Amino acid sequence: MSELNVILLGPPGAGKGTQAERLQDDFHLLHVSTGNMLRAAVEEGTELGRKAKAYMDRGELVPDDVIIGVITDRLQEEDAQDGFLLDGFPRTRPQAEALEKALDDLGRSLTAALLVDVPDDVVVRRLSGRRVCQKAGHPYHVDTNRPKHDNVCDIDGSRLIQRDDDREETVRKRLEVYNEQTAPLIDFYDERGLLRRVDGTRTPTEVHDHIRATLATLRLEDEI
Ligand code: AMP
């Protein structure tokens, strides 16, 4: 079967993490979330975490040279060979170019860039109510996606917390950064014929159905 190498584009709070969780089960893809990797590195106090923390707390992007090597190395590991779902990377044009080159060098290529489209006001509402589990970052929402037991993750039983960067002021900064530095990648992937748009304001299940159908079609097209 052909490999699906997919990136999820979209503002913070578009639901990329939620969708990635579901899609990795459907298509047996490795889910690589740069945000989760960086938060784990901060927690563990590694060199990467020490370099990244101040930027993350301010809602700014970690410098390209810090993150690019981490991802290009990760995609060469055994468990990424049958396809991957990149969530939160690339976020700048140099990152997108580095990814293109790294895949090219490996004789691989991207299948699609899925844009989960959500307007700014919806992002602010969603993120200020978001809670994530302490252990693996599984996402919940105080209004729309509550866990079965208050403040406890349904999947791994760890405690739910609010991420420092989900406070309203930092959310606005992250949106500004997204609009300036990441949104230009929409044209980058459109020019390459890889962009697929999904309406991210629909329910998580509707968004999931739409993406699943899109990926199934892409896989079929690739096999013909
Ligand atoms: P996320 O969970 O994807 O919203 O990422 C949280 C934070 O991690 C971002 O606000 C950035 O500070 C940092 N980060 C995650 N992915 C990247 C990336 N590809 N490039 C630079 N910084 C990143």
Side-chain angles (χ1 to χ4, degrees), residues 11-13 16 33-39 52-64 66-68 71 87-92 95 127 130 163 165-166 170 174 177 181-182:
K16 301 186 299 291
S33 156
T34 41
N36 286 351
M37 285 170 85
L38 289 169
R39 278 183 290 279
K53 186 172 185 329
Y55 296 98
M56 295 172 76
D57 286 346
R58 289 196 298 266
E60 291 171 11
L61 294 184
V62 169
D64 288 335
V66 172
I67 193 79
I68 286 173
I71 293 303
D87 159 13
F89 185 96
R91 261 174 150 104
T92 63
Q95 290 181 18
L127 288 188
R130 176 161 76 175
R163 279 170 42 179
D165 59 354
D166 278 347
T170 319
R174 287 163 68 203
V177 168
Q181 301 193 53
T182 309

Side-chain angles (χ1 to χ4, degrees), residues 42-81:
V42 169
E43 191 78 13
E44 286 161 22
T46 64
E47 197 193 335
L48 173 65
R50 280 199 299 279
K51 283 184 188 158
K53 186 172 185 329
Y55 296 98
M56 295 172 76
D57 286 346
R58 289 196 298 266
E60 291 171 11
L61 294 184
V62 169
D64 288 335
D65 60 342
V66 172
I67 193 79
I68 286 173
V70 175
I71 293 303
T72 50
D73 286 353
R74 184 69 188 87
L75 295 182
Q76 293 186 51
E77 284 175 34
E78 185 66 34
D79 57 357
Q81 300 313 306

Side-chain angles (χ1 to χ4, degrees), residues 34-155:
T34 41
N36 286 351
M37 285 170 85
L38 289 169
R39 278 183 290 279
V42 169
E43 191 78 13
E44 286 161 22
T46 64
E47 197 193 335
L48 173 65
R50 280 199 299 279
K51 283 184 188 158
K53 186 172 185 329
Y55 296 98
M56 295 172 76
D57 286 346
R58 289 196 298 266
E60 291 171 11
L61 294 184
V62 169
D64 288 335
D65 60 342
V66 172
I67 193 79
I68 286 173
V70 175
I71 293 303
T72 50
D73 286 353
R74 184 69 188 87
L75 295 182
Q76 293 186 51
E77 284 175 34
E78 185 66 34
D79 57 357
Q81 300 313 306
D82 294 336
F84 57 78
L85 201 53
L86 273 180
D87 159 13
F89 185 96
R91 261 174 150 104
T92 63
R93 193 178 169 105
Q95 290 181 18
E97 286 167 350
L99 176 65
E100 196 169 48
K101 177 161 188 321
L103 289 175
D104 210 33
D105 290 348
L106 295 167
R108 301 171 71 180
S109 58
L110 275 185
T111 315
L114 291 173
L115 171 64
V116 187
D117 222 354
V118 178
D120 288 4
D121 57 326
V122 177
V123 165
V124 174
R125 219 175 320 130
R126 279 190 184 173
L127 288 188
S128 41
R130 176 161 76 175
R131 300 293 179 271
V132 295
C133 85
Q134 209 165 21
K135 192 166 171 200
H138 294 126
Y140 296 87
H141 192 278
V142 292
D143 299 321
T144 53
N145 182 17
R146 301 172 63 87
K148 290 195 185 82
H149 304 285
D150 277 354
N151 285 319
V152 179
C153 178
D154 294 345
I155 299 168

Side-chain angles (χ1 to χ4, degrees), residues 199-223:
D199 177 359
T201 63
R202 315 289 288 265
T203 66
T205 301
E206 286 168 332
V207 175
H208 176 218
D209 287 346
H210 186 167
I211 296 179
R212 207 169 36 176
T214 304
L215 293 185
T217 308
L218 285 168
R219 180 171 263 173
L220 269 178
E221 281 171 4
D222 202 49
E223 282 168 7

